[in-house]
Amino acid sequence: MSSAAEIRDRNLSNAHTGFAVLAAAISILSLVGWLANERSLTSLAPGRPPLSVMTAVVMLAGVVAVFTSPLKGARSWIPGVLVATGGAAILVARGVAWARNIPLSPEVWSSPLTGLMFLLSGTSSAMIGRRFFVQGQLVAFVLLLASVLLGLGHLAPDSLLYRYLPGTGVSIPTILCFFSLAISGLLACRHSGIAASLSSEGATGRPGLKMLMTGAACILAASVAVLESLRAGVIDAETALMLLCWSALAALGGTLWAMAVAADRAEQAMENSNLEKDRLRQTFAAAVTHDLRNPLQTATLAANLLAKLSDDPKFAGPLARLHRSHKRLDRMLRASLDNLSLESGKDIVMHKSPVDLRGIVEEVVSENAAVLEERVTVDGQGTGHWDADALFRVVENLLLNAHKYGNPSTVIECAIQRSATHVRLQVRNSGTPIPESDWNEIFEPFSRGQNHQGRTGWGVGLAFCRLVAHKHNGTLEVLRSDGHGTVFELALPTDPSEAPT
């Protein structure tokens, strides 16, 4: 059974879609009216301006921009930019035509005010698509208020308000479309920005509702003052209507601006709080990991001392396993510190010494004998001046990944090849291929490929491995992944000063 919040979110999502569809339907209806020569479909009222062909076409683009703006894709803001560019182009074309006294057909061309409103609509969608929710919703509110003002003018065509408005030539269908686009834009991201401050019941919601109620009270007070002036004969009816409209716009505009500032500050404070929590978490984890190495070193020294004091052969095996366990635990703690450094963006220092790469592979297999000893084959030799502990982690990560994601009934092949300048380790396993679109993404921190379903992991192993390769002026990449197997290649220069391949 759906909760009240889920039902409210579903209703708001349906409203966002419904208002966008309404704008599209009005635009399509007008285009049909032009094609069928039915002027009533383009104006919706006798004697009123029609919705031009250009306005209908750009309006459909505006509908696409409103639909795509809440999406989290990297290019969801592009349709909004295109609509804003179209609005700016209308303004430029109208300005050039006015300067050169070139007549433009109102049945084809949009009016200057319509171009300005397209500029506002596209800017709002682009800002929301770029995740500037407060600013984008504020622009959408401006578009909504402008649409309401123009609509009020059409309700009283004989008033001074309508006669002297700059949007006298804006059609009723155009106003309805912009009104629908504005509301759809406001409902597009209802959990962020001003929309969240209106719907939330938390700390950001209460101030937003109070501000809105304050704005409504200001409008009510202005309405009472205007009506009393009208009753006393100080102003006429047309002036009263104009004052009511403009006072309402001023009060709402001020209220929305205050809400925008409050919502922006609340989101910024929340973001700063989350960053501080992440910093404290990383500091705590680093401190605990670092402190754990002290008792581990004590245990290692005690095990070494026992090995020297005891000549009994029956203790040799357990002491050797204890020593390997201490060494592995120390490597795991240092790996944890390196992952924390990688997460926080800090640099990692390599401690280089002469290393036998085949020996590293065999040591990894030995320490992970339970899962790797019967599956891994090693061929070739290669030595160089590298960080042994870091390379151990790289090789271990590659082999354990091959075991985790590969076919368990096949062999994991390790081939070491030496050239004049590089030593290359290729790890091949059979299994589900990695999509080529993921070949670079899997090396990004906290990113995993599409074939990780059902397998645990944090997505930092390969990112650290590539960082280690780069620290050695080498490379780590997916060489091949298809039906014949997946091959990772680690290339390390024999000369540490040599540039990467």
Side-chain angles (χ1 to χ4, degrees):
M1 186 174 181
S2 299
S3 64
E6 291 174 342
I7 294 174
R8 182 173 63 250
D9 283 350
R10 193 182 306 120
N11 292 337
L12 290 174
S13 179
N14 292 337
H16 158 66
T17 303
F19 276 105
V21 170
L22 176 61
I26 294 174
S27 301
I28 294 173
L29 186 67
S30 297
L31 289 175
V32 171
W34 286 115
L35 292 174
N37 199 24
E38 289 288 340
R39 297 302 178 88
S40 60
L41 298 179
T42 65
S43 62
L44 299 183
R48 301 297 172 84
L51 187 150
S52 67
V53 176
M54 179 180 293
T55 300
V57 172
V58 182
M59 193 68 70
L60 291 175
V63 172
V64 174
V66 169
F67 264 128
T68 57
S69 64
L71 302 180
K72 294 183 178 180
R75 297 179 177 84
S76 60
W77 53 274
I78 292 181
V81 171
L82 295 178
V83 174
T85 303
I90 292 172
L91 291 174
V92 171
R94 281 288 187 175
V96 171
W98 176 80
R100 299 183 178 180
N101 199 23
I102 301 174
L104 296 178
S105 172
E107 297 181 351
V108 177
W109 283 85
S110 302
S111 68
L113 186 58
T114 301
L116 178 60
M117 296 179 78
F118 275 129
L119 183 61
L120 291 175
S121 178
T123 301
S124 173
S125 297
M127 286 181 171
I128 293 174
R130 292 287 292 176
R131 324 326 278 169
F132 296 115
F133 298 112
V134 173
Q135 296 85 342
Q137 291 170 357
L138 188 60
V139 175
F141 268 118
V142 172
L143 179 65
L144 177 63
L145 293 177
S147 303
V148 171
L149 178 62
L150 295 176
L152 289 174
H154 276 286
L155 292 177
D158 296 328
S159 66
L160 290 174
L161 177 65
Y162 182 76
R163 244 190 335 259
Y164 292 106
L165 271 177
T168 301
V170 177
S171 68
I172 294 177
T174 303
I175 294 171
L176 291 176
C177 287
F178 281 123
F179 180 84
S180 300
L181 287 183
I183 295 182
S184 182
L186 292 172
L187 297 177
C189 297
R190 53 200 171 277
H191 295 299
S192 303
I194 304 174
S197 69
L198 286 175
S199 60
S200 173
E201 297 178 359
T204 59
R206 286 189 292 270
L209 292 175
K210 288 180 180 178
M211 291 178 188
L212 190 62
M213 295 302 295
T214 302
C218 292
I219 295 173
L220 181 61
S223 301
V224 171
V226 170
L227 291 176
E228 288 299 323
S229 300
L230 178 62
R231 182 180 300 177
V234 178
I235 57 177
D236 57 17
E238 295 174 348
T239 304
L241 179 61
M242 183 168 60
L243 290 175
L244 282 174
C245 293
W246 283 105
S247 61
L249 285 175
L252 284 176
T255 302
L256 294 175
W257 178 261
M259 288 174 60
V261 172
D264 191 39
R265 289 178 178 175
E267 289 186 356
Q268 187 63 43
M270 185 177 297
E271 182 178 352
N272 292 338
S273 176
N274 291 335
L275 290 175
E276 181 65 17
K277 288 180 182 177
D278 289 341
R279 187 188 67 80
L280 291 175
R281 178 179 59 81
Q282 292 176 4
T283 302
F284 176 77
V288 171
T289 304
H290 184 272
D291 292 344
L292 282 175
R293 296 186 67 191
N294 294 328
L296 176 62
Q297 290 175 355
T298 302
T300 302
L301 291 174
N304 292 336
L305 181 60
L306 287 174
K308 292 179 180 179
L309 295 177
S310 177
D311 295 330
D312 194 336
K314 67 180 181 181
F315 293 119
L319 287 174
R321 288 194 297 272
L322 183 61
H323 180 70
R324 287 197 301 270
S325 298
H326 288 164
K327 186 177 179 181
R328 180 169 176 78
L329 183 56
D330 181 65
R331 187 179 286 115
M332 291 171 63
L333 290 175
R334 280 186 287 176
S336 179
L337 288 172
D338 288 339
N339 283 334
L340 289 170
S341 299
L342 179 64
E343 183 177 352
S344 61
K346 295 180 180 178
D347 198 9
I348 297 176
V349 180
M350 297 288 105
H351 304 283
K352 299 179 180 179
S353 60
V355 175
D356 177 13
L357 188 56
R358 184 186 180 98
I360 293 288
V361 176
E362 292 174 346
E363 185 180 1
V364 169
V365 174
S366 175
E367 291 201 9
N368 296 273
V371 294
L372 295 179
E373 191 170 32
E374 302 298 328
R375 293 194 57 193
V376 179
T377 63
V378 188
D379 181 48
Q381 298 281 347
T383 58
H385 199 74
W386 309 308
D387 188 315
D389 288 335
L391 283 186
F392 182 96
R393 288 186 56 200
V394 172
V395 174
E396 184 178 47
N397 194 284
L398 293 175
L399 293 181
L400 291 179
N401 276 355
H403 165 74
K404 183 189 299 185
Y405 297 103
N407 189 336
S409 62
T410 59
V411 174
I412 301 172
E413 301 175 3
C414 293
I416 302 174
Q417 302 171 354
R418 183 182 180 91
S419 66
T421 58
H422 286 79
V423 174
R424 302 177 187 274
L425 169 64
Q426 294 183 359
V427 178
R428 179 189 177 278
N429 69 283
S430 299
T432 304
I434 303 173
E436 190 170 355
S437 59
D438 287 348
W439 285 11
N440 287 322
E441 185 178 352
I442 58 176
F443 292 104
E444 295 297 325
F446 314 106
S447 177
R448 306 180 69 195
Q450 300 176 22
N451 61 342
H452 74 276
Q453 287 81 1
R455 301 176 175 91
T456 59
W458 293 97
V460 296
L462 288 177
F464 176 81
C465 292
R466 173 167 278 188
L467 178 61
V468 170
H470 287 173
K471 284 292 182 180
H472 288 87
N473 288 331
T475 59
L476 175 62
E477 61 185 354
V478 180
L479 203 62
R480 188 183 79 244
S481 187
D482 50 32
H484 300 289
T486 297
V487 179
F488 281 80
E489 182 183 78
L490 171 67
L492 300 171
T494 53
D495 182 358
S497 63
E498 186 174 331
T501 56

